[in-house]
Amino acid sequence: MSLAAAFPSVLRRVIPALAAFLLSAAASFAQPVTVNDGFNPDVDGTVLTVVTQPDGKLLVGGQFTAVGGVSRSNLARLNADGSVDTAFNPAPNGPVRALLVQRDGRIVLGGDFTTVQPGATGAAVTRNRLARLNADGSVDTAFNPNLGGQLQPQVHALLLQADNRIVAGGSFTTVQPTGAATATTRNYLARFTADGALDAAFNPNPNSMVLALALHVDNKILVGGGFTTFQAPGDAAPSARNRIARLNPSGTVDSEFNPNANNGVTSIAVQRDGKILLAGYFTSVQPPTDVNPAGRSRLARLNLDGTLDSEFYPRADGAVATVAVQSDGLIVIGGSFTAVWGQGATSVNRGFVARFRPDGALDSAFAPTLNGAVNAVAQQADGKLVLGGSFTRATPPGATTAIIRNRLARLGTDGSLDTTFELDAGGRILASATQADGKIVVGGTFTSVAGLTRNYVARLNADGTVDTAYAPNFNGRVYAMALQADGKVIVGGAFTTIDGEKRERLARLNSSGTIDSEFN
């Protein structure tokens, strides 16, 4: 295709992005930035859930209105460098508390919302507490389970089964999928077919809120929350199950599994060997085989059959909101605690996040400190950890100075924050483009990066260091970027020259960073 034929399609992508950045730029300039790095999304509210997509992008849900200075209502998708995916903007009108990505790339979200708006200007679509999006963020019009109930119905947990059926747990008490004449009672737990229809045969009927779901062996379903009984239709009497239960694939209670936690279970993770990690508010568990309650402070591990793993005994001094098992078997917890105990050890200060070895011993080398609660942990394919919560500062292990990290941070495998580079005072990144080789071109309001003069545009190596060979000299701010397949970058902003050559607000750079003389 000729340059003349390709150029209009490029403009159609660049100009809307440029307009969006111009609208958000005024607010962005007023925000002081002291330290930045390759991942610093800057969320203005609380992050409640984080999920990694197969392509490396991150889905972030919670209760917020902006990410990185870009308007995003309660749900955003980030590129690998932490910049906002500007093409994805579903805009649910209430908090998003749970997310899952289907095998076909579609995204299921649950929370408090009642509408989802596909894009910044699209008409709002009614979706009560549960919705499914296509991979591009548009609403799946065929999927509408329509959850409701008295007080404040919410979805707190989602599970995708092997047969693509979707299980939802929360505080709802009714469902009314599209086409149903009346609402159907479903107390706190429901299952839907792949197309969103109610699975009428599945009705475990817990007596209180469901906060956590996980798939276990033989397609059984682990359920955690604040309930104390289950009573499916036809059961002569309720089955006592305190805050943790396992259901057979049909939805009936597994009669041989009853760990009996004394307070809420907020998160469940399953190890490769089938052992089960529980996190929450509880301080003891007591399976039927135990005569006395066993002290387990906010974290416990169960054997495959639901008996207590007596060899595993780490503890936390505050609630644990989330537990995750890394690909190497290490166990990460996040919550509102400030101290933890490893296996039989004395307490160790840990600010809202900690990591344990598979035997329960504290990973002493992993010691980042945050200043607020961690609600979500997700591991990337490269082993890095993404944390979401209500924190605003993070202190790397061994450091004494906290770094700004508003509600979302990424850690290396050793607990360190991503390699940092310092912008000049008041400098801010407003646009970025990630190349196929992992290098990242950034633009914004800065004039130096890591002590090197870089006027409004710089390129970072994959490790976060500055690419010294890439140094175009813009005379004004940069607001938008688009990467072409050939590696060239189209740049939009307030500049009028690059390297002394006239370019009015729109230019293209060669892959080396020099100006493309044929594009003006």
Side-chain angles (χ1 to χ4, degrees), residues 316-393:
D317 72 345
V320 176
T322 184
V323 58
V325 181
Q326 295 185 180
S327 56
D328 58 4
L330 295 175
I331 299 161
V332 183
I333 63 170
S336 56
F337 53 85
T338 56
V340 297
W341 290 256
Q343 205 77 350
T346 57
S347 66
V348 178
N349 291 333
R350 284 293 183 273
F352 308 102
V353 64
R355 188 164 69 187
F356 299 94
R357 302 190 184 282
D359 64 358
L362 181 68
D363 183 351
S364 58
F366 183 92
T369 298
L370 291 90
N371 71 336
V374 172
N375 299 320
V377 175
Q379 187 179 31
Q380 297 185 167
D382 60 4
K384 290 183 178 180
L385 295 171
V386 180
L387 310 180
S390 57
F391 53 84
T392 59
R393 297 291 187 277

Side-chain angles (χ1 to χ4, degrees), residues 153-507:
Q154 301 167 328
V155 170
H156 286 271
L158 292 169
L159 173 67
L160 181 67
Q161 296 189 178
D163 59 3
N164 289 320
R165 284 186 288 185
I166 297 164
V167 183
S171 59
F172 57 87
T173 56
T174 66
V175 301
Q176 190 175 358
T178 303
T182 58
T184 301
T185 298
R186 279 297 181 275
N187 290 318
Y188 314 111
L189 192 60
R191 185 164 68 188
F192 303 93
T193 62
D195 62 0
L198 177 66
D199 183 346
F202 182 93
N203 188 12
N205 194 26
N207 70 339
S208 191
M209 186 181 295
V210 170
L211 299 173
L213 293 166
L215 196 62
H216 204 216
V217 295
D218 300 325
N219 291 316
K220 293 184 178 182
I221 301 167
L222 296 167
V223 185
F227 50 81
T228 56
T229 67
F230 284 75
Q231 188 173 11
D235 289 353
S239 299
R241 287 296 184 275
N242 289 315
R243 291 95 188 183
I244 173 71
R246 186 167 67 187
L247 306 179
N248 297 311
S250 64
T252 58
V253 173
D254 183 342
S255 60
E256 297 180 356
F257 183 98
N258 188 12
N260 190 24
N262 73 336
N263 208 333
V265 171
T266 58
S267 183
I268 303 171
V270 179
Q271 298 183 168
R272 288 183 179 178
D273 60 3
K275 289 187 176 182
I276 304 160
L277 292 158
L278 308 180
Y281 300 94
F282 57 86
T283 55
S284 73
V285 295
Q286 189 180 4
T289 53
D290 294 352
V291 176
N292 297 309
R296 288 295 184 273
S297 185
R298 289 96 182 185
L299 185 64
R301 186 164 66 192
L302 307 175
N303 296 312
L304 200 66
D305 61 358
T307 58
L308 180 66
D309 183 347
S310 59
E311 302 297 321
F312 183 87
Y313 190 44
R315 292 161 286 162
D317 72 345
V320 176
T322 184
V323 58
V325 181
Q326 295 185 180
S327 56
D328 58 4
L330 295 175
I331 299 161
V332 183
I333 63 170
S336 56
F337 53 85
T338 56
V340 297
W341 290 256
Q343 205 77 350
T346 57
S347 66
V348 178
N349 291 333
R350 284 293 183 273
F352 308 102
V353 64
R355 188 164 69 187
F356 299 94
R357 302 190 184 282
D359 64 358
L362 181 68
D363 183 351
S364 58
F366 183 92
T369 298
L370 291 90
N371 71 336
V374 172
N375 299 320
V377 175
Q379 187 179 31
Q380 297 185 167
D382 60 4
K384 290 183 178 180
L385 295 171
V386 180
L387 310 180
S390 57
F391 53 84
T392 59
R393 297 291 187 277
T395 305
T400 57
T401 303
I403 296 172
I404 295 173
R405 285 295 181 279
N406 287 319
R407 291 92 183 184
L408 206 59
R410 185 162 63 191
L411 306 179
T413 55
D414 60 354
S416 61
L417 291 170
D418 271 10
T419 303
T420 60
F421 64 91
E422 190 166 348
L423 303 177
D424 58 281
R428 186 172 179 81
I429 293 173
L430 299 177
S432 67
T434 304
Q435 299 179 172
D437 60 2
K439 291 185 177 182
I440 303 170
V441 182
V442 295
T445 68
F446 53 85
T447 55
S448 72
V449 180
L452 299 176
T453 298
R454 287 295 184 275
N455 289 317
Y456 309 108
V457 170
R459 186 164 69 186
L460 310 178
N461 298 311
D463 63 358
T465 59
V466 179
D467 183 344
T468 57
Y470 191 96
N473 182 22
F474 286 68
N475 75 334
R477 292 167 170 172
V478 168
Y479 300 130
M481 288 182 170
L483 180 67
Q484 294 186 175
D486 60 3
K488 293 183 179 182
V489 179
I490 298 176
V491 183
F495 53 86
T496 56
T497 67
I498 304 172
D499 295 329
E501 187 172 338
K502 187 175 181 180
R503 283 296 184 278
E504 298 277 356
R505 303 170 185 86
L506 188 65

